[in-house]
């Protein structure tokens, strides 16, 4: 699983996930958390059907899909309608039905004080996810 928000940092994480997938023959699930929903949705973290993706999410996933096709890596795009990225992404990753073996996330390392080295979302995922987490700076 690679966490995608469209930033340069998440795209660096995507590049690392591509390297891992090539080495292991794995598929990649790209997950974007659309945090413009209500607090209630953070509890449910529903997966949105593609027709309900907002423009930003659609642009991110289309860019990533092209990169996956170029690299010949199986890819599944998921957009979660939630409220807090860390909770949304961790809830998805920890769901056994999603079969997540590894999580890759880019980080800016801009928070304070605990997030001095990792961003708050990546720090949350690092501590709450059941699967191994690779943080790419």
């Amino acid at each position: 699983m690679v966490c995608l928000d469209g930033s340069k940092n998440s795209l660096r994480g995507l590049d690392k996930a591509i390297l891992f997938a090539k080495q292991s023959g794995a598929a990649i699930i790209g997950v974007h958390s659309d945090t413009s929903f209500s607090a209630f949705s953070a509890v449910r973290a529903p997966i949105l059907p593609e027709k309900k993706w907002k423009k930003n999410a659609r642009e991110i996933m289309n860019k990533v899909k092209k990169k996956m096709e170029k690299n010949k890596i199986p890819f599944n795009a998921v957009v979660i309608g939630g409220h807090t990225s860390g909770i949304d992404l961790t809830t998805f990753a920890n769901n056994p039905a999603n079969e997540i073996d590894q999580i890759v996330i880019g980080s800016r390392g801009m928070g304070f004080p605990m997030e001095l080295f990792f961003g708050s979302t990546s720090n949350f995922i690092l501590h709450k996810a059941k699967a191994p987490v690779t943080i790419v700076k």
Side-chain angles (χ1 to χ4, degrees), residues 12-29:
R12 275 199 309 272
L14 174 64
D15 290 339
K16 189 59 72 175
I18 289 170
L19 177 65
F20 293 160
K22 283 182 176 180
Q23 291 172 344
S24 65
I28 293 178
I29 299 174

Side-chain angles (χ1 to χ4, degrees), residues 121-134:
T121 300
S122 57
N123 188 48
F124 184 90
I125 292 170
L126 177 66
H127 289 93
K128 301 294 183 184
K130 294 176 183 174
V133 178
T134 300

Side-chain angles (χ1 to χ4, degrees), residues 1 3 5 20 72:
M1 173 181 141
C3 305
D5 66 6
F20 293 160
K72 298 178 181 167

Side-chain angles (χ1 to χ4, degrees), residues 25-81:
I28 293 178
I29 299 174
V31 183
H32 172 74
S33 173
D34 182 342
T35 58
S36 64
F37 290 81
S38 70
F40 171 73
S41 62
V43 175
R44 295 185 322 127
I47 295 173
L48 300 175
E50 191 167 346
K51 65 183 178 181
K52 293 197 176 198
W53 292 359
K54 293 190 177 170
K55 182 181 177 186
N56 181 47
R58 190 173 308 282
E59 288 172 354
I60 292 167
M61 292 307 186
N62 285 338
K63 183 176 183 177
V64 173
K65 283 179 186 178
K66 288 178 185 174
K67 199 166 196 173
M68 295 296 101
E69 289 170 0
K70 180 181 174 186
N71 284 282
K72 298 178 181 167
I73 296 172
F75 178 72
N76 185 22
V78 173
V79 176
I80 299 170

Side-chain angles (χ1 to χ4, degrees), residues 98-119:
N98 295 325
E99 300 180 357
I100 302 301
D101 298 320
Q102 173 77 32
I103 301 168
V104 179
I105 184 168
S107 175
R108 294 181 297 174
M110 303 281 284
F112 181 85
M114 183 65 175
E115 293 83 22
L116 187 58
F117 301 108
F118 304 118

